[in-house]
């Protein structure tokens, strides 16, 4: 069900006694965000303050942070059974990052999330890492399996030759370390690619 944006923003700004200014701020903000929750989500506090003021900006960023934390908590409490489970955990944040990040999700023998950590932060369109760095945290956590995930700031989610090569190297290393590599997800703006589903590197 679609969320009615302007009333929702007004309620965030002033849930008890909204003013005409609150209504104007909500309408102006929604217009500035191109009527997109995704655009609004990635706006920084510094970008929000000139539009709605410091107090409203803080409330809005706090609401987004709480929403993401609750979603992450809910997903992490359940076993990972499909790529969409991981996408639900990561996409809200990773799809709006200004540069590439490669993350590793470590899983238990029952496919529960043990940890998530960032291996490397790259430039706008490239991320490089050492295979040893990638497995350091899963080994420390005694993980049974891992899932890789990285974002493409361009929003495009096709796998590059470098993505495929890295994934093949990680799979080979995982076999030696007895840690299964279940998937490599590419996160974009509103979309994703599961390299395993597309049989890229597997």
């Amino acid at each position: 069900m679609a969320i009615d944006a302007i009333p929702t923003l007004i309620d965030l700004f002033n849930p008890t006694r909204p003013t005409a200014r609150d209504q104007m701020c909500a309408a102006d903000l929604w217009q500035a965000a191109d009527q997109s929750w995704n655009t609004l989500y990635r706006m920084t506090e510094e970008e929000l303050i000139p539009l709605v003021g410091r107090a409203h900006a803080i409330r809005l960023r706090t609401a987004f942070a709480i929403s993401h934390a609750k979603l992450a908590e809910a997903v992490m409490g359940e076993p990972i059974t499909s790529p969409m489970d991981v996408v639900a955990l990561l996409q809200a944040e990773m799809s709006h990052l200004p540069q590439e990040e490669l993350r590793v999700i470590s899983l238990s023998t029952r496919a529960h999330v043990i940890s998530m950590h960032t291996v490397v932060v790259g430039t706008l369109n490239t991320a490089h890492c050492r295979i040893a760095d990638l497995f350091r945290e899963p080994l420390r956590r005694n993980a049974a399996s891992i899932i890789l995930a990285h974002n493409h700031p361009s929003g495009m989610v096709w796998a590059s030759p470098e993505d495929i090569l890295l994934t093949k190297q990680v799979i080979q290393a995982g076999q030696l370390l007895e840690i299964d590599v279940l998937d490599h997800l590419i996160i974009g703006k509103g979309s994703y690619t599961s390299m395993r589903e597309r049989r890229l590197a597997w």
Side-chain angles (χ1 to χ4, degrees), residues 22 29 79 91 98 102 116 136 138 147 157 164 186 189 197:
D22 295 325
L29 179 60
Q91 190 164 44
L102 176 63
M116 293 186 297
R136 184 170 290 113
I147 295 173
V157 293
I164 296 171
I186 302 172
K189 292 178 172 66
E197 286 185 344

Side-chain angles (χ1 to χ4, degrees), residues 7-105:
T8 300
L9 290 171
I10 292 171
D11 195 45
L12 280 171
F13 293 157
N14 195 338
T16 55
R17 193 174 291 179
T19 65
R21 179 182 177 277
D22 295 325
Q23 295 172 11
M24 183 177 68
C25 284
D28 289 348
L29 179 60
W30 189 237
Q31 191 68 33
D34 298 325
Q35 300 183 4
S36 164
W37 284 110
N38 283 335
T39 301
L40 185 57
Y41 180 89
R42 67 174 182 263
M43 292 176 74
T44 65
E45 191 173 309
E46 290 73 21
E47 291 172 321
L48 291 169
I49 288 173
L51 295 168
V52 298
R54 182 174 298 277
H56 286 354
I58 291 172
R59 285 192 191 95
L60 190 58
R61 292 306 312 164
T62 301
F64 280 140
I66 292 171
S67 175
H68 179 70
K70 288 179 69 176
L71 175 62
E73 186 178 77
V75 174
M76 289 184 73
E78 298 294 328
I80 299 298
T81 60
S82 73
M84 275 303 302
D85 293 338
V86 181
V87 173
L89 189 61
L90 298 176
Q91 190 164 44
E93 178 192 2
M94 289 192 73
S95 63
H96 303 301
L97 294 172
Q99 55 188 348
E100 282 194 23
E101 290 191 12
L102 176 63
R103 298 185 183 181
V104 178
I105 299 92

Side-chain angles (χ1 to χ4, degrees), residues 84-142:
M84 275 303 302
D85 293 338
V86 181
V87 173
L89 189 61
L90 298 176
Q91 190 164 44
E93 178 192 2
M94 289 192 73
S95 63
H96 303 301
L97 294 172
Q99 55 188 348
E100 282 194 23
E101 290 191 12
L102 176 63
R103 298 185 183 181
V104 178
I105 299 92
S106 299
L107 304 176
S108 69
T109 54
R110 296 189 177 185
H112 286 89
V113 176
I114 301 171
S115 70
M116 293 186 297
H117 71 286
T118 300
V119 179
V120 68
V121 177
T123 60
L124 186 65
N125 56 17
T126 183
H128 302 288
C129 74
R130 294 175 62 246
I131 301 300
D133 294 335
L134 194 150
F135 279 99
R136 184 170 290 113
E137 183 68 9
L139 286 168
R140 190 178 75 83
R141 297 278 188 164
N142 197 28

